[in-house]
Amino acid sequence: MDYGRIIRRALEIVWRHKVLWVFGIAAALFSGGGGGGNGANGIQYTLDENSLRRFGQQMPFGPNVEAVVPVILAIIGLVLLLVLVFAIVGIIVRYTSVGALIGGVDEVERTERTSFRSALRIGWQRLLRLFAIDLIIGIAMFVVVLALVFLTIAGVLFAVLPAIALAEGGGSGANVLAVLWGVGVGLAVLVALVAVSVIVSAITTLIREVAFRANVLERQGVFASIGTAFRLIRGNLKEVLLVWLILVAINLALSIVAIPLVVIGIVGVIGPAVAAFALTESVAVTLLVLVPIALFFVLVAAFIGGLVLTFQSAVWTLSYREWRTEHLVPEAV
C-alpha cells in the first residue's frame, strides 16, 4: 500500500474538487452535540404563593411576579425547543455531509468528477444509517468508558488504602514505604489509563471510519457495516493503524502550527473589544466591535477545519478502496 500516493491523491482531490469543501465545512461546524437540562419545573412546586409575593416585592416586575413565572417558563421551554431543533438540524447536516464526502471522493475515483447534487444525494440517502452506526459505536464506547471509570476508582483505592495502612503502622520507614507505594501504584494506574484511553479512541475511530465507508460505498446495513469494519480491520490491521498514525501525526503538526494563529486570533478578538470599552465604556459598543470580529475568526476556523476534515475523509475513503476485497458483497437495507 503506497501511503504517499494516497496522501498526494487526497490533496489533489481536495484541491481540484472544491465542491467537497462545502460538505467538509458543514461537517466541521456541526461536529459537536447539543443537549439541554430541565431544572425549571422545580420552581413551580418549590415556591408557594407567599414566597412569590415576597420575591416580587424585591424585583422590578413588582408584586405580580406570579404572572411573570409562566413567561419565564415559556422562555425556558422555547430555548429547550430551539436546542432540540438545532440538535436535529446538526445531526442531519453532519451525517449528510459525512456521507457526501465519502460518496464524492468515491465518485471522483470512478468517474474523475463529482458534483454538489450527486454528493448531496449520496449523503442524504445514508444519513440515518450513518447516524445509527455512530450511535451504536457511541453506546458501546460509553459502556467501555464506564468500565474504565470503575477500574480507575479501584486502582486509586488500591494505591491509597494500603498506603494509609502502612502510614498508620508508624515509623519513618513505614511513611516512606507508604509514599513510595502510593506514588508508584498511582503512576502505574495513570499510565495504564492513558494507554487504554488512546487504544479505545483509536479503535473507535477505526471502526467508525471503516463502517461509514462500508455503509456508503457498499450500501451495507448498519450492523453489516460494523461487522465489515471488524473483519477489514482484523485483516488489514497494520495498514489501518498506519493510516490512523499518519493522520494523527498530521493533526499534531497542524495543531503545533495553529498555536500562534490561535494566539493571534485571541488577541485579534479581545484587543479591539478592550480598546472599544476603554474608549467608550459602553457594553453595547464593545459588543458591536466584538461580535463581528469573533464571527469572522469563527468562520475562518470553520473553513480551515472543514478543509482538514475533507482531506482526512478523502484519505480514509481512498484507503478503504485499497483494503476492500472481492468477498465484500453489498448488502443493502
Side-chain angles (χ1 to χ4, degrees):
M1 185 172 175
D2 190 346
Y3 301 99
R5 182 189 64 81
I6 288 177
I7 298 297
R8 290 192 299 272
R9 179 58 176 162
L11 289 172
E12 180 184 0
I13 290 174
V14 172
W15 178 250
R16 299 179 71 178
H17 301 275
K18 296 179 178 60
V19 67
L20 297 175
W21 296 8
V22 178
F23 300 109
I25 295 170
L29 282 172
F30 291 92
S31 59
N38 187 6
N41 290 337
I43 296 176
Q44 301 179 60
Y45 305 103
T46 302
L47 299 179
D48 56 19
E49 184 177 352
N50 292 327
S51 299
L52 291 174
R53 186 174 294 107
R54 288 194 301 271
F55 180 70
Q57 299 294 337
Q58 305 172 9
M59 297 303 292
F61 345 109
N64 295 324
V65 68
E66 296 92 336
V68 179
V69 172
V71 176
I72 296 175
L73 295 179
I75 293 174
I76 293 173
L78 179 61
V79 170
L80 294 178
L81 179 61
L82 291 175
V83 170
L84 178 62
V85 171
F86 183 81
I88 294 173
V89 171
I91 289 172
I92 294 173
V93 174
R94 170 172 167 73
Y95 292 100
T96 299
S97 299
V98 169
L101 287 173
I102 297 171
V105 172
D106 180 68
E107 197 171 43
V108 169
E109 287 297 279
R110 289 186 291 103
T111 66
E112 287 297 328
R113 60 184 298 274
T114 187
S115 66
F116 177 85
R117 184 175 181 179
S118 62
L120 178 63
R121 183 175 65 252
I122 296 171
W124 178 257
Q125 291 173 348
R126 311 309 292 179
L127 83 93
L128 290 179
R129 294 171 179 84
L130 294 178
F131 171 70
I133 291 172
D134 216 4
L135 181 62
I136 292 171
I137 295 174
I139 292 173
M141 289 304 105
F142 174 77
V143 174
V144 172
V145 170
L146 197 61
L148 287 177
V149 170
F150 285 113
L151 290 175
T152 303
I153 294 173
V156 171
L157 293 177
F158 184 67
V160 172
L161 295 181
I164 294 175
L166 288 171
E168 289 178 348
S172 58
N175 290 334
V176 172
L177 186 59
V179 172
L180 291 176
W181 173 268
V183 173
V185 176
L187 287 176
V189 171
L190 179 61
V191 171
L193 179 63
V194 172
V196 173
S197 299
V198 171
I199 293 172
V200 170
S201 175
I203 292 174
T204 303
T205 300
L206 298 180
I207 294 174
R208 176 186 292 113
E209 298 296 343
V210 177
F212 279 179
R213 280 144 187 87
N215 184 269
V216 175
L217 304 185
E218 316 292 346
R219 302 191 66 82
Q220 294 183 346
V222 173
F223 291 101
S225 298
I226 297 175
T228 295
F230 277 105
R231 291 194 303 273
L232 194 147
I233 292 171
R234 186 173 60 247
N236 304 271
L237 183 59
K238 177 183 175 182
E239 291 80 3
V240 175
L241 284 176
L242 279 174
V243 170
W244 177 73
L245 288 173
I246 289 171
L247 291 177
V248 168
I250 292 174
N251 283 336
L252 181 60
L254 291 175
S255 299
I256 294 174
V257 172
I259 290 176
L261 299 178
V262 172
V263 173
I264 293 172
I266 293 174
V267 173
V269 171
I270 297 178
V274 172
F277 185 78
L279 292 173
T280 65
E281 296 186 355
S282 170
V283 175
V285 173
T286 303
L287 289 177
L288 287 175
V289 173
L290 177 63
V291 171
I293 298 176
L295 181 60
F296 170 77
F297 279 104
V298 168
L299 292 177
V300 170
F303 177 77
I304 296 173
L307 294 186
V308 173
L309 194 151
T310 303
F311 165 74
Q312 292 175 337
S313 179
V315 169
W316 281 114
T317 302
L318 295 173
S319 300
Y320 179 88
R321 287 172 58 88
E322 294 273 341
W323 296 328
R324 63 180 176 181
T325 57
E326 295 295 334
H327 68 273
L328 293 179
V329 179
E331 183 180 337
V333 169

